[in-house]
Amino acid sequence: MPKTIEIKVPDIGDFENVDVIDVMVAEGDKIEKETALITLETDKAAMDVPSPYAGTVKSLKVSADDKVSEGDVILTVEVAEADDEEPAAEEAEPEKEPDEAPGQPEDEPKRKSEPQPKAGEYQGNVDIECDVLVLGSGPGGYTAAFRAADLGQKVVLVERYDSLGGVCLNVGCIPSKALLHVAKVIEETHFFAEHGVKFGEPKIDTGALREWKNSVVGKLTGGLVGLAKRRKVTVVHGVGQFVSPHHLEVDGKDGKTAIRFSNAIIAAGSEAAMLPNLPDDKRIMTSTHALELEELPQRMLVIGGGIIGLEMATVYDALGVEISVVEMTDTLMPGADRAIVKPLEKRIRKRYENILLNTKVSKVEATKQGIKVSFEGKDAPKPQVYGRVLVAVGRRPNGGRIGADKAGIKVDERGFIPTDKQQRTNVEHIFAIGDITKAPLLAHKATHEGKIAAEVAAGEKSAFDARVIPSVAYTDPEIAWVGLTEAEAKEQGIDFGVGEFPWAANGRSLAMGRDDGVTRIYFDNKDGRIIGAGIAGPGAGDLISELALAIEMGADAADVALTIHPHPTTSETVAMAAEAFEGTLTDLYAPKKR
Ligand code: NAD
């Protein structure tokens, strides 16, 4: 005989009158055990209520926009008599010792020989259980969460801020690119003022600009909320700390949520490094503050000539601020290919007030007139006063902030969490991805690693085996590089050749009013394969993908040169750099090299 049973709102922690934001079943629907019935949302989390029974929905007692508390009836379901016993809680799998990890590559991170941190124990209540917990919702974290959900895992995504998307979407890549696009538009109008089209000096409304930038960010972060919901990923907002190898406690606005997980993926990122002994003054900014465009000072000092410093300098320069950059090494963007940094340096040396290489900041004082900065170095100028100072001296991983020791996870002295090629930490069922694992600290590395971790957590045999990770600085000109730089190829003693094409001979570049770009490709003389490349010029970041693919595919010069590239585009510079190496180039007079 079939039986009709009421399904009630289960224990949802300390919440009362929680919003029902979605009802996923209708009267007459056949449902299985674990079918999601409704989605509840508090300001801390969205969660699905699964059915404990299989059967047919007889009558629905709630609808979207209702409010419910524990014990309220959601619906009645007709079940076959044999099926009406509530399923016993599944027995937890015995925890494997880290040393038992199957298929563990021998080298990194060693689980047997090195002393491991002693993990904590957790005896408290559990509010949410899941297959995969992802800590951090940046590009790496949300990708991992969504991939794991697509592979059938029950996923919880924990984020300390109200908005999903992490540094990249909220205060990094995306807002900076929105402002860099504005900078490009302003620069193009300046250029054409001298070539027949005058718009007049731009009037900058920083408030409207900020709103537009925020709207771009909002579209993306709002999109993530929708994507999480559609995949039934439970999002919990608050600061997450491990309390045992299988538990994470989230401290949110409405109190604590304890989550038990089978696997965890740590994607907790990095934060801006600060110099010691800086006065507490809002005129001293990190890139997060600089993106808010609170004020356009007359003069600004950028400490650190790396990617962040030079991208923000590009924005503030276009908005009319006099820029100085101080960099402690002998070159801008150390680590990038020298030959492609040159066109950038040449352009900004003409535009900026000062570029100080081999120079350190020795003292920073807040005065009424501005921030007074003293310098140290062979060519150091006398102390200067700036309206604002941007500190962009690198980023630090957040490994020390997540209670890693309680889960037995090893964190190195710099705050990085070592992983193997499957993104596993020293604890077999805990993975780490993105900035928190190792350099380069790039969003696209994090997303790639996020997919691997999610796939491995879901039982697939994925591993990181990309040959190269491209880098891009969205300066003007853009600088992009992939694989070995010329200096690295020399250091490694590789017998290599260079194919180079100057953008001064590219029609499309000239039509954009630019003749300062360059495309360079490095080829191994042994087999002609591409080992690295660097591009400077507008849109270099988009062009570098072709060369990343070429390296992944083991392409040689002929593969690139004989691929027909559309005319007129800047992508032709890639083919022509390969032709220059091949000796088949006709767009320049280049004597045959091979
Ligand atoms: P960075 O490490 O790229 O550059 C920091 C620079 O500051 C270095 O050149 C360093 O020599 C210099 N420096 C350090 N201490 C100094 C001091 N006391 N005085 C003067 N100079 C000093 O770091 P970043 O630019 O802050 O960027 C941080 C991370 O974020 C990097 O890993 C970067 O790759 C990544 N990021 C990438 C992008 C992108 O892909 N477009 C954009 C922004 C940031």
Side-chain angles (χ1 to χ4, degrees):
M1 276 284 286
K3 245 180 145 183
T4 302
I5 293 175
E6 286 181 336
I7 299 183
K8 296 179 178 171
V9 176
D11 180 358
I12 48 174
D14 294 335
F15 298 106
E16 293 245 322
N17 294 325
V18 174
D19 290 325
V20 177
I21 58 164
D22 205 357
V23 177
M24 280 93 108
V25 291
E27 286 176 2
D29 280 1
K30 289 213 176 323
I31 55 173
E32 300 295 332
K33 277 180 192 164
E34 296 302 315
T35 297
L37 304 175
I38 56 173
T39 307
L40 303 178
E41 191 179 62
T42 66
D43 36 352
K44 208 157 81 169
M47 66 191 104
D48 289 341
V49 177
S51 174
Y53 304 101
T56 306
V57 178
K58 291 306 277 181
S59 61
L60 262 175
K61 305 290 184 193
V62 292
S63 50
D65 298 326
D66 280 357
K67 290 188 185 296
V68 293
S69 303
E70 182 182 342
D72 289 348
V73 179
I74 300 170
L75 51 77
T76 60
V77 63
E78 192 177 81
V79 299
E81 203 166 29
D83 289 338
D84 67 354
E85 273 183 31
E86 192 153 350
E90 269 178 41
E91 240 177 67
E93 245 182 61
E95 271 172 32
K96 272 189 196 148
E97 284 301 312
D99 289 351
E100 292 171 26
Q104 168 64 27
E106 284 208 344
D107 41 11
E108 28 150 8
K110 293 201 175 71
R111 298 195 184 111
K112 273 197 173 146
S113 50
E114 288 180 17
Q116 307 296 329
K118 196 171 168 340
E121 275 178 28
Y122 181 76
Q123 309 283 1
N125 286 339
V126 169
D127 300 304
I128 307 177
E129 298 220 15
C130 63
D131 301 322
V132 178
L133 173 127
V134 180
L135 180 58
S137 73
Y142 78 70
T143 302
F146 293 176
R147 182 79 183 112
D150 290 350
L151 290 169
Q153 303 290 295
K154 187 176 174 204
V155 180
V156 173
L157 178 60
V158 176
E159 169 54 55
R160 63 179 154 163
Y161 296 125
D162 291 343
S163 169
L164 299 182
V167 170
C168 171
L169 268 67
N170 290 283
V171 290
C173 320
I174 299 303
S176 65
K177 261 76 268 175
L179 296 181
L180 281 158
H181 182 71
V182 173
K184 183 168 178 249
V185 170
I186 294 173
E187 282 321 303
E188 290 190 340
T189 62
H190 279 155
F191 176 80
F192 280 101
E194 290 165 25
H195 298 89
V197 186
K198 278 201 171 71
F199 294 96
E201 275 307 301
K203 289 198 184 90
I204 314 276
D205 176 349
T206 48
L209 211 48
R210 192 181 313 125
E211 259 175 47
W212 174 72
K213 174 213 63 168
N214 290 345
S215 74
V216 174
V217 170
K219 276 183 199 146
L220 289 169
T221 55
L224 289 183
V225 175
L227 289 174
K229 191 167 168 286
R230 294 192 70 173
R231 290 183 158 92
K232 309 201 187 318
V233 168
T234 302
V235 177
V236 180
H237 289 283
V239 176
Q241 297 266 326
F242 287 97
V243 287
S244 90
H246 277 286
H247 296 87
L248 184 102
E249 200 168 70
V250 183
D251 196 357
K253 280 186 192 144
D254 297 322
K256 296 198 168 162
T257 306
I259 303 168
R260 186 185 193 284
F261 55 84
S262 304
N263 291 291
I265 299 174
I266 303 168
S270 62
E271 60 171 8
M274 281 309 267
L275 292 173
N277 306 323
L278 290 179
D280 183 12
D281 189 301
K282 71 175 195 157
R283 293 169 296 179
I284 301 172
M285 311 179 288
T286 62
S287 54
T288 301
H289 306 125
L291 286 166
E292 282 307 298
L293 298 178
E294 275 169 4
E295 178 206 26
L296 296 178
Q298 201 200 326
R299 299 175 81 208
M300 180 162 105
L301 175 71
V302 175
I303 307 181
I307 296 185
I308 294 185
L310 293 176
E311 286 186 353
M312 291 314 301
T314 307
V315 170
Y316 275 78
D317 167 58
L319 296 177
V321 177
E322 280 174 45
I323 302 289
S324 292
V325 178
V326 55
E327 163 60 46
M328 69 179 185
T329 68
D330 61 357
T331 174
L332 293 175
M333 260 187 240
D337 197 334
R338 290 306 80 224
I340 57 159
V341 174
K342 245 192 240 161
L344 170 69
E345 188 168 348
K346 196 169 157 205
R347 182 174 165 89
I348 63 178
R349 276 213 181 269
K350 279 192 231 147
R351 300 178 61 94
Y352 295 179
E353 187 183 354
N354 214 342
I355 294 178
L356 303 161
L357 299 179
N358 290 314
T359 308
K360 272 189 173 168
V361 166
S362 53
K363 197 167 166 196
V364 179
E365 296 158 87
T367 71
K368 218 171 156 194
Q369 294 72 36
I371 303 295
K372 186 174 171 194
V373 182
S374 307
F375 301 93
E376 176 181 298
K378 198 161 71 64
D379 302 314
K382 62 179 189 353
Q384 300 285 315
V385 176
Y386 300 94
R388 293 247 162 175
V389 171
L390 167 65
V391 183
V393 293
R395 296 186 62 85
R396 289 206 183 104
N398 286 331
R401 303 167 146 248
I402 57 170
D405 54 329
K406 296 277 177 22
I409 305 161
K410 201 175 160 238
V411 181
D412 78 13
E413 60 292 345
R414 290 175 301 165
F416 285 115
I417 297 176
T419 69
D420 64 17
K421 284 184 186 312
Q422 291 195 303
Q423 305 302 138
R424 287 184 204 268
T425 66
N426 60 309
V427 181
E428 190 209 345
H429 64 277
I430 302 183
F431 301 76
I433 61 167
D435 286 8
I436 208 160
T437 61
K438 61 174 176 298
L441 279 56
L442 297 172
H444 42 277
K445 166 184 160 274
T447 53
H448 191 87
E449 292 176 343
K451 283 198 176 155
I452 292 161
E455 287 165 5
V456 177
E460 299 202 350
K461 289 182 176 158
S462 302
F464 189 101
D465 72 346
R467 289 183 175 177
V468 289
I469 302 168
S471 291
V472 183
Y474 298 86
T475 44
D476 185 12
E478 271 181 27
I479 303 292
W481 67 102
V482 66
L484 296 181
T485 62
E486 190 171 12
E488 286 166 346
K490 278 183 189 155
E491 264 165 36
Q492 293 181 22
I494 298 173
D495 173 20
F496 70 100
V498 185
E500 177 172 320
F501 192 81
W503 287 32
N506 175 265
R508 184 65 188 278
S509 179
L510 292 179
M512 294 190 294
R514 297 299 291 260
D515 62 1
D516 53 344
V518 64
T519 297
R520 287 166 66 87
I521 310 179
Y522 306 117
F523 301 91
D524 192 328
N525 281 330
K526 181 170 61 25
D527 52 16
R529 290 191 181 193
I530 300 170
I531 53 170
I535 307 179
D542 295 299
L543 298 182
I544 203 72
S545 304
E546 179 184 355
L547 290 158
L549 178 66
I551 296 174
E552 292 293 346
M553 303 296 288
D556 63 14
D559 292 323
V560 175
L562 295 177
T563 298
I564 298 179
H565 288 67
H567 176 76
T569 61
T570 52
S571 76
E572 288 172 285
T573 66
V574 174
M576 290 182 187
E579 287 179 1
F581 179 72
E582 285 273 281
T584 57
L585 178 62
T586 48
D587 275 43
L588 283 178
Y589 178 66
K592 197 169 181 336
K593 294 213 171 117
R594 308 176 80 211

